[in-house]
Amino acid sequence: MSAPNRNEPCPCGSGKKYKHCCLNNAAAAPKTTNLWGVVQPITAKTDIPFDFARRTNPAHPPAYYINLGNAFMGQGNHKAAIENYRSALALKPDSAEVHCSLGYALQLLGNLNDAVECYRTALALKPNFSGAHSNLGLALQAQGNLVEATKSFRKAIALQADFADAHFNLGIVLKEQGKLDEAIISYRRTLALQPNDDQAYYNLGNALKDTGKLDEAAASYRKAISFRQDYAEAHNNLGNVYSAQGKLEEAVYCFNISLSLNPYSAEGHLSLGLVQTRLGRHEQAIASFQNAITIKPDYTDAYNNLFFALIELKRINEAIGCYQKALAIKPDFGDAYNNIGNALCSLQRHDKAIPYFQKTLTLDPDYLFAFGQLLHSKQYCCDWNQLDEIFEAILIGIDSGKAVSIPFPILAIPSNSAQQKRCAEIYIQTKYPAIHGISGSIIYPHKKIRLGYFSSDFYNHATAYLIAELLERHDRTRFEVFGFSFGLAPNDDMRQRVSTAFDRFVDVQHMSDQDIANLARSLEIDIAIDLKGITAGARTGIFALRPAPIQISYLGYPGTMGAPYIDYLIADPTLIPVEQQRHYSEKIVYLPNTYQVNDSHKRIAERQFTRAEVGLPDTGFVFCCFNNNFKITPVVFDIWMQLLKQVKGSVLWLFDGNAKSTLNLRNEAIARGIAAERIVFAKRMDLPEHLARHKLADLFLDTFFYNAHTTASDALWSGLPVITCIGETFASRVAASLLNAIGMPELITHSSEEYLSLALALATDPERLASIRQKLEKNRSTHPLFNTRLFTRHIENAYTQMWKQHQASLLPDHIYVNSNGQHEPISTLSSIIDAPDK
């Protein structure tokens, strides 16, 4: 369809005039031909005085009716004009010009079929009537018959080569058909005939922009503006081009000019808000999105971006409220239901999120990643209703190549390595695809290798607890170490410790992905280490922009990222056997003992907890698992309940994740014949005290599909034995990696039956369990798991190998770090426990 009259209601439904609403992104209005063959805008009115028309010589009645019709057209009274044109045709039916004018009037009333017939009649009478061919093209275009419209414009041009407006209108229909190169040619021909045509420059800019010729598009918009300073649409689209080029300040300038000329453009306010978001000016962006919504109350794009701007500022309840207002206007707004669900998850209100994800899927069963979000919330709540059916449906979806889930929830269900890789690839291709033209070929000539660690978790968080000492121990004669913190983090003790461990620590939370990547390049970072992977708070878009020539996934995400721009994944031989390498998109860096770094200065509080203080009974064997509740599945819970049945007086001590999971787990225990009070829940506690209370437990029971990671290290550091059942995937082999590194392979089982048998044997054989504890106590100070000095040497060896590979202009390849048989003892146990945090 052609663009509507600038003064008509906007077709978007806002109720505003088109010139005040959606004209920003439209092509300049097409042009038509009047009775005399003079080209004029389709919205123009004739300027024949009405009185003059009435005084026309009655001796020539056709002219009388023709002029009267033209005068009525000048007044905008199209119906009266039609009556007079028909009266003229009754007297002179062979007038091609009158048939053309009648068609024009009918077209303005939206009577396109009759208009087409009028133009065809005019052409039957006068085949060389170029103006009628052009107007017929416009009517056909309005009917959506772009092919025939193209033919009509070409006929008009064949008859009149200098027919500038036919070239212009041909450009419009060619662009609508996606024939951008041909449209560009038509606009250039228009400008050759009419060098000062601002509308042609504007439309040329649109076509060039759509072909990716951004510099030429910008020049074309600037040319349009040079002829018409108040051309709001050209200022707006010039801003869009600058935004696409990353010239964000220039884009803001253009959008502000456009909005000063046309303050009622909802799209203009949205565009401005998007650029302000990229500049990290979230408060300003929020105001822009709110302006867009005020102008266009059902503007879903504005609500979406307002939501995410509020989320950036951690104003989560406001973000939820924003969408709830949107739902009052548009109850079938699927994005709102999905994003409210995600916001509730960030507040750990997973039980409240579940119905929002369910509603999202009711509205659109194929909504991107919503099925996986529903699964994850149900797992956090230990809501196992129809869980097997959900597992099956999601895995079938992944096998079919559908975007049914983000990768993280898939780690905790019975999926295999191939499915986890496919899920990650689908996610990356959908959300953070590789950017064409960006490569990691640059080689920096440094004497020291520059490492950049990227995370949102540089505070009292599991990642920081694990990695702090490594950052402190890096060899500064060989490495420079940079920290890029992109999360809103409290200034707690771990934040202070980690930030001072870097040679340079940069808080980039308010910077755009592009700006962070540019900063890393300006600092000439050789190796970028992503400590988040595909987890909450990740900024994967940074790595798609290649901030460093070598990019690594480490520690935060236990699996492949499926991203072509992540070169290496740090692992070990237990985690990824050689035959499993094909299930990882990265090249594997094999550290000799375990992939997981630990802090040998981790303090255990001296406080001696009593059983009563933590809610445990005075007597009885204590099984425990302090993993997050989402890792618990019915398969492992069934085994735990069998243990409670067979070990009289025993209890199961779990992490108190949320009220809903606590209630559901107790109900699941009751359903399996176990009294609810035999399930005890541990409240959150500062790490030193949490480690101290481990002494009250007898045996740590690992989960199956997604093992204990940091929680396993905590247990082993505290002297608590961990039993695991090794699986196929990275996430299901981490505990085995840790046990191998501390010399306790006898605690690794290979089936659920073996897992149950070993747990039962240790729970009913005090001497055997005591022997295991004694071995663990000894191995903690003699084996590699907590030898951070040794680990640092190994990972630095890996960094050096990948750096040398790159310096030699070789592609990444698998790296195997040789341990050389060195198991370097760390400090004595007492000095480790008593050592204060740095």
Side-chain angles (χ1 to χ4, degrees), residues 333-370:
F333 189 4
D335 287 346
Y337 288 107
N338 181 72
N339 290 336
I340 288 175
N342 288 328
L344 289 167
C345 288
S346 70
L347 294 172
Q348 300 300 312
R349 292 158 61 186
H350 293 279
D351 57 324
K352 302 296 183 184
I354 288 172
Y356 282 97
F357 292 132
Q358 290 171 329
K359 181 66 174 179
T360 302
L361 291 165
T362 298
L363 291 170
D364 181 2
D366 295 322
Y367 192 98
L368 289 179
F369 310 119

Side-chain angles (χ1 to χ4, degrees), residues 621 623-625 627 636 639-640 643 698-704 707-708 712 715-716 720-726 732 735-736 739 744-764 768-769 772 776:
F621 194 90
F623 296 104
C624 91
C625 180
N627 287 355
V636 74
I639 294 174
W640 293 350
L643 287 170
D698 296 299
L699 187 62
F700 189 108
L701 301 174
D702 195 15
T703 44
F704 283 4
N707 285 173
L716 295 171
L720 178 63
V722 176
I723 292 179
T724 193
C725 180
I726 192 169
S732 66
L739 288 167
M744 306 290 290
E746 62 269 34
L747 297 179
I748 303 170
T749 66
H750 297 81
S751 68
S752 57
E753 293 80 11
E754 187 183 351
Y755 175 94
L756 172 61
S757 177
L758 178 59
L760 184 60
L762 293 178
T764 55
R768 182 177 176 184
L769 180 59
I772 290 287
L776 174 59

Side-chain angles (χ1 to χ4, degrees), residues 510-539:
H510 296 307
M511 294 173 61
S512 68
D513 290 351
Q514 183 68 66
D515 287 342
I516 296 171
N518 290 343
L519 173 63
R521 291 192 204 108
S522 72
L523 294 172
E524 298 187 353
I525 300 299
D526 294 294
I527 303 175
I529 302 109
D530 180 7
L531 296 174
K532 291 298 295 181
I534 312 175
T535 58
R539 295 279 296 271

Side-chain angles (χ1 to χ4, degrees), residues 13-31:
S14 68
K16 301 184 184 302
K17 290 183 179 181
Y18 181 59
K19 68 181 179 182
H20 293 318
C21 192
C22 291
L23 190 56
N24 308 43
N25 301 312
K31 301 171 184 179

